[in-house]
């Protein structure tokens, strides 16, 4: 499923909202772990070939890591006696998946380069590769993140809700330094992946800005009560291909989540959605650039944090 569309985003890795004394660098492990990207790519290729959902799952994990106190692999930490981790928070509970893939990659990297590469950098690379393997863009991932020594379940409130209206989405992303346009392009991550019935039930039964035939189809696997964990594709047209059809579905009022359809509902982002619905190349180019920016959210660098030996626990 490798993509022929390759995007190299060469930008200075500006560290946002960070007091770190170093910047990220795409060649950070060039001398200390030269096989890193090859290891990650091989493992992600196998993972996506076994489970077509895995590319989307790892991408979602990266989003949920970065939006909570920065891209520091805090999302991977298990609960301890001193803090409650983020895995059990409402946005992640019983829905975040792919931890075993990151664990496997970490074990392979440790075998090649012991105590050198952070879990945060592994997650950033795995998210990029998962997207490209499903037909999406390739972007250069600046590296050098370190791992947090703690997690914050309460801080997961900064993750956008599937029930958010447009002003809330704009505000949520603006708090992380993203424009409304970047919010729309990052929402395009929903061109791959699935959602549970519990988060789209209200939309298909109660909302009116929805194609009736689409709503009827979705009700077939999402009853008005029960079946909370039943799955439906976020992009019913091409569920495992990273393309512009997410936006085309919004124009046709076939957005699965309330928050998705809010992007095309007579508001200020309608024109952006319509533009990407007709321009696959622009979507992929802009998505890659926005992902680099997201990957620069408050990373721990220099001597901050640590390089975890096991992604689930602090050293």
């Amino acid at each position: 499923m490798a993509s022929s569309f390759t995007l190299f985003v060469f930008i200075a890795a500006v560290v946002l909202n960070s007091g770190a004394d170093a910047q990220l660098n795409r060649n950070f492990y060039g001398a200390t772990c030269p096989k890193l990207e090859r290891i990650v790519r091989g493992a992600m290729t196998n993972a996506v070939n076994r489970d077509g959902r895995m590319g989307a799952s790892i991408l979602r994990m990266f989003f949920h890591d970065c939006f909570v106190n920065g891209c520091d692999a805090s999302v991977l930490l298990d609960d301890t006696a001193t803090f409650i981790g983020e895995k059990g928070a409402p946005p992640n509970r019983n829905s975040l998946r792919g931890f075993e893939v990151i664990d496997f990659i970490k074990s392979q990297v440790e075998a090649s380069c012991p105590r050198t590469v952070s879990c945060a950098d592994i997650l950033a690379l795995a998210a990029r590769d998962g997207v490209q393997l499903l037909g999406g863009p390739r972007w250069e991932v600046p590296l050098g993140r370190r791992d947090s020594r703690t997690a914050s379940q309460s801080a997961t409130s900064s993750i956008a809700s599937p029930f958010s209206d447009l002003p809330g989405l704009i505000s949520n992303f603006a708090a992380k330094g993203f424009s409304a346009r970047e919010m729309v392009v990052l929402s395009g991550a929903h061109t791959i992946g699935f959602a549970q019935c519990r988060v789209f039930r209200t939309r298909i039964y109660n909302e009116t800005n929805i194609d009736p035939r689409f709503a009827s189809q979705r009700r077939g696997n999402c009853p008005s009560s029960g079946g909370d964990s039943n799955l439906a594709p976020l992009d019913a047209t091409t569920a495992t291909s990273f393309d512009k059809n997410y936006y085309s579905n919004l124009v046709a009022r076939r957005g699965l989540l309330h928050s998705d359809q809010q992007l095309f509902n007579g508001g200020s982002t309608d024109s952006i959605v319509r533009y990407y619905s007709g321009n696959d190349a622009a979507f992929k180019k802009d998505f890659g650039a926005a992902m680099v920016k997201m990957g620069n959210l408050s990373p721990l660098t220099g001597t901050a944090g640590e390089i975890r030996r096991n992604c689930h626990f602090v050293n």
Side-chain angles (χ1 to χ4, degrees):
M1 289 183 286
S3 168
S4 60
F5 185 100
T6 303
L7 168 68
F8 293 98
V9 180
F10 295 102
I11 69 169
V14 180
V15 179
L16 302 178
N17 304 318
S18 173
D21 59 359
Q23 289 189 334
L24 304 183
N25 184 330
R26 56 184 293 266
N27 295 313
F28 188 83
Y29 299 108
T32 58
C33 196
K35 296 180 181 178
L36 171 62
E37 295 203 32
R38 192 185 318 163
I39 293 170
V40 176
R41 176 70 177 207
M44 283 302 297
T45 299
N46 291 335
V48 171
N49 284 341
R50 287 195 307 269
D51 178 356
R53 294 174 55 201
M54 193 53 66
S57 297
I58 298 297
L59 178 60
R60 181 171 184 259
M61 187 187 296
F62 184 57
F63 266 76
H64 285 211
D65 183 42
C66 292
F67 265 70
V68 179
N69 297 328
C71 307
D72 59 5
S74 61
V75 73
L76 303 176
L77 287 170
D78 290 345
D79 295 349
T80 72
T82 57
F83 65 80
I84 298 175
E86 297 159 21
K87 294 179 179 178
N92 301 331
R93 186 170 55 243
N94 298 323
S95 65
L96 213 60
R97 62 192 298 270
F99 295 105
E100 73 284 358
V101 174
I102 300 302
D103 291 343
F104 176 76
I105 297 173
K106 177 64 171 175
S107 70
Q108 296 292 298
V109 171
E110 284 294 307
S112 181
C113 320
R115 303 186 182 185
T116 300
V117 181
S118 68
C119 300
D121 278 341
I122 288 172
L123 181 54
L125 287 168
R128 186 272 309 276
D129 288 348
V131 167
Q132 192 189 16
L133 287 163
L134 295 175
R138 175 183 173 84
W139 57 91
E140 292 298 336
V141 178
L143 300 167
R145 300 169 190 79
R146 289 168 65 85
D147 298 323
S148 68
R149 292 190 175 99
T150 188
S152 174
Q153 186 170 114
S154 62
T156 60
S157 61
S158 61
I159 298 172
S161 165
F163 307 106
S164 294
D165 291 331
L166 182 60
L169 292 168
I170 291 174
S171 175
N172 178 271
F173 278 76
K176 300 297 180 182
F178 293 106
S179 67
R181 187 178 197 89
E182 288 169 329
M183 179 272 291
V184 172
V185 78
L186 286 172
S187 297
H190 286 177
T191 186
I192 53 176
F194 288 71
Q196 295 182 7
C197 171
R198 63 185 175 86
V199 298
F200 63 84
R201 176 182 286 118
T202 299
R203 169 147 174 76
I204 63 173
Y205 283 97
N206 299 338
E207 297 188 4
T208 58
N209 61 340
I210 188 169
D211 173 62
R213 185 174 179 182
F214 173 71
S216 177
Q217 290 171 340
R218 293 282 71 88
R219 289 171 190 159
N221 193 43
C222 182
S224 57
S225 63
D228 284 3
S229 61
N230 292 356
L231 298 174
L234 290 160
D235 172 359
T237 307
T238 48
T240 57
S241 294
F242 197 96
D243 56 33
K244 67 180 180 61
N245 283 332
Y246 166 77
Y247 300 104
S248 301
N249 289 334
L250 298 186
V251 173
R253 298 186 302 154
R254 294 168 64 88
L256 184 64
L257 304 181
H258 174 83
S259 57
D260 286 334
Q261 196 59 55
Q262 284 290 296
L263 304 182
F264 191 85
N265 193 39
S268 61
T269 56
D270 280 17
S271 61
I272 305 171
V273 170
R274 195 176 292 279
Y275 172 70
Y276 287 132
S277 74
N279 197 326
D280 193 66
F283 163 50
K284 290 175 177 177
K285 174 178 178 293
D286 292 350
F287 185 86
M291 286 296 293
V292 173
K293 182 173 178 177
M294 188 174 74
N296 290 333
L297 287 174
S298 305
L300 299 172
T301 60
T303 58
E306 65 182 14
I307 304 298
R308 287 185 216 141
R309 292 188 291 275
N310 181 323
C311 292
H312 291 261
F313 308 102
V314 298
N315 294 338

